[in-house]
Amino acid sequence: MRPLRMTPTLRQSNLLHYGLLFAALFFAFFWNIWGFPLFDLDEGAFSEATREMLANSNFAATYLDGEPRYDKPILSYWFQALSVSLFDLSEFSLRLPSAIAASCWLLVCYRFALQQWNRTTALYAVLIMANTLWIGIIGKGAIADAWLNLFLTLTVLDIWRYWQQPDERSRFLLLRVYLWMALGLLTKGPVAVLIPLLVSGIFFVFQGQWRRWLTAIFYLPGWVLLLLILTPWLWLVYQDQGVGFFKGFLLDHNVNRFSDTREGHGGKLWYYLIALPLVLLPFSSALFTLLRSLREYCKDSLTLYLMIWLGVVFVLVSVSGTQLPHYVVYGISGLLLLFARYRELLFRSWGLVFPVVFFILMLALPWILESAAGSSRKIYEQEMLGRVWDVVGTPYLIASIVALILVLGIAITPKLEKPVKYVTIGFIQTLFVFNFFIQVMAGLQQLPVQEAAYIAKAREGQYVVAFGLHMPTFSVYRDAITPNEKNPKPGDVIFTDADNLLKLQQRHPDAVLTELFNKGGIRLVEWQDAKPAGTD
């Protein structure tokens, strides 16, 4: 029997398929991850905690500017520390683990779509997810969320496979579920268990299989595996920080973060009604099309399961006291898989208005920020946003005009199928956001912090403190701990902003403060020692 040979057409088809797959992952998560400074607060906090972990050779617990950091468990810091050890401290090394995690996250969805549907749908799943706005942001950020989404997705999709296979193989799948939950707990805590628990519980009850769900919940080998993974680190962090970590993490950064509004983030029931369409750009309209016929689509068990996933996360984050756009991303992986599956039905011409409006706003961005600067009451915001024309430049304006023209052209051309139009516009959005928009935002917010840090780093032997300002990227670029002092003293070099500097001057009207740096609302000053009495 002659072996089956791949025809040129089939070979070309495979090259195109895997070429698109590789390009989607590369441009979404790896392209230009080194090309802009770290952003405060999240990237700065994770990066500085990782820097201090390596500086102190303490891999059991995390510290931020010398103080215990209870925000997150340890796993993402370990990945960042490994990357920094291999490639030195830089934006690239700090963001690389997230890019790898996000790529694995999408490949997990690719494999699932391939198993459940077909090869073309699997490719569309990756193309859609890679070019969804907030997935790109998470995949390029030096934070824990790409890892959490990877482990959440592995958990929820393996629970579906467990439901599909009521035989001996399901025991192996249950062990995998507990493995992913354990790694999720090491990454970001109880949310890695709470979401799969609620999603699976609701689905199994709907299917009349609640007894099988209880069997899975009380699966002893799974709990043994989970505890074997968690216990060594829990013991190490207890040895280092005592019960402080458990109180700070479980109570302050989980219970209190859910019940109270923290850092001014959200607290409105309607918040994610606005945030979710923004997160899904440029594919936002497909959500509304899906919701219009949701009952019909949910006659399919898998569609029902994936929509329960979205619904559980949407309700949890909506009633949470602290709200940020990326929280809802914990539930959109299944939704985007459905976008790929029902692409011919969900992607409509009218929905292209969302990306068109987005690029109109991108073109108008300099004038929007200029107006915001004029209306702000804070000196820091006035000075930061007031520099908009210093950082925008001609390349941004040209790029935004070209992008808008391309999007309009793609929207009105009859030659492309609608799913192809959406994915192509998504690719344009990805390139624009992470090559031009990101440079404007970094130039406004982060470049002054980075420049001030380099100046402070050059002043060896002086005590540098922060006053009224929490921007950990300053410590990262300064390569040293910067304690936050409520009462700076003569002789200190003080990192602060315009508003807090004014407060310091009002508190100490006779202080001699020499300005070392002044840009974009950021101040670096030296508090000169008082002159002896009777001297000139």
Side-chain angles (χ1 to χ4, degrees), residues 81 108 193 316 421-423 443 452:
V108 166
V193 173
L316 283 176
K421 288 184 179 183
Y422 274 86
V423 167

Short mmCIF file of all heavy atoms in Angstrom, two decimals, residues 81 108 193 316 421-423 443 452:
data_model
loop_
_atom_site.label_atom_id
_atom_site.label_comp_id
_atom_site.label_asym_id
_atom_site.label_seq_id
_atom_site.Cartn_x
_atom_site.Cartn_y
_atom_site.Cartn_z
N ALA A 81 11.04 35.98 38.11
CA ALA A 81 12.40 35.88 38.64
C ALA A 81 13.27 35.00 37.75
O ALA A 81 14.45 35.31 37.50
CB ALA A 81 12.36 35.33 40.07
N VAL A 108 -4.38 26.45 24.33
CA VAL A 108 -5.33 25.57 25.03
C VAL A 108 -6.71 25.70 24.41
O VAL A 108 -7.41 24.71 24.17
CB VAL A 108 -5.37 25.93 26.54
CG1 VAL A 108 -6.58 25.29 27.22
CG2 VAL A 108 -4.08 25.48 27.22
N VAL A 193 -10.47 28.76 42.25
CA VAL A 193 -11.34 27.65 42.64
C VAL A 193 -12.81 28.08 42.61
O VAL A 193 -13.68 27.32 42.18
CB VAL A 193 -10.97 27.14 44.05
CG1 VAL A 193 -11.98 26.10 44.53
CG2 VAL A 193 -9.58 26.55 44.05
N LEU A 316 -20.20 37.98 39.53
CA LEU A 316 -19.24 38.12 40.63
C LEU A 316 -18.53 39.47 40.58
O LEU A 316 -18.43 40.17 41.60
CB LEU A 316 -18.21 36.99 40.58
CG LEU A 316 -18.66 35.62 41.08
CD1 LEU A 316 -17.54 34.59 40.87
CD2 LEU A 316 -19.02 35.67 42.56
N LYS A 421 -13.23 40.16 7.85
CA LYS A 421 -13.20 41.60 8.11
C LYS A 421 -12.89 41.90 9.58
O LYS A 421 -12.03 42.72 9.90
CB LYS A 421 -14.54 42.24 7.74
CG LYS A 421 -14.83 42.34 6.26
CD LYS A 421 -16.14 43.08 6.03
CE LYS A 421 -16.46 43.23 4.56
NZ LYS A 421 -17.71 44.00 4.33
N TYR A 422 -13.59 41.21 10.46
CA TYR A 422 -13.41 41.46 11.89
C TYR A 422 -12.00 41.11 12.35
O TYR A 422 -11.37 41.87 13.11
CB TYR A 422 -14.44 40.66 12.70
CG TYR A 422 -15.76 41.35 12.87
CD1 TYR A 422 -16.77 41.25 11.90
CD2 TYR A 422 -16.04 42.11 14.01
CE1 TYR A 422 -17.99 41.88 12.05
CE2 TYR A 422 -17.26 42.74 14.18
CZ TYR A 422 -18.23 42.62 13.19
OH TYR A 422 -19.45 43.25 13.36
N VAL A 423 -11.49 39.98 11.92
CA VAL A 423 -10.15 39.56 12.33
C VAL A 423 -9.10 40.52 11.77
O VAL A 423 -8.14 40.88 12.47
CB VAL A 423 -9.89 38.12 11.88
CG1 VAL A 423 -8.42 37.77 12.02
CG2 VAL A 423 -10.74 37.15 12.70
N GLY A 443 4.50 57.84 27.32
CA GLY A 443 5.17 59.14 27.32
C GLY A 443 4.57 60.09 28.33
O GLY A 443 5.28 60.89 28.96
N ALA A 452 13.12 60.39 36.20
CA ALA A 452 13.41 60.79 37.58
C ALA A 452 14.17 59.69 38.31
O ALA A 452 15.08 59.97 39.11
CB ALA A 452 12.09 61.10 38.31
#
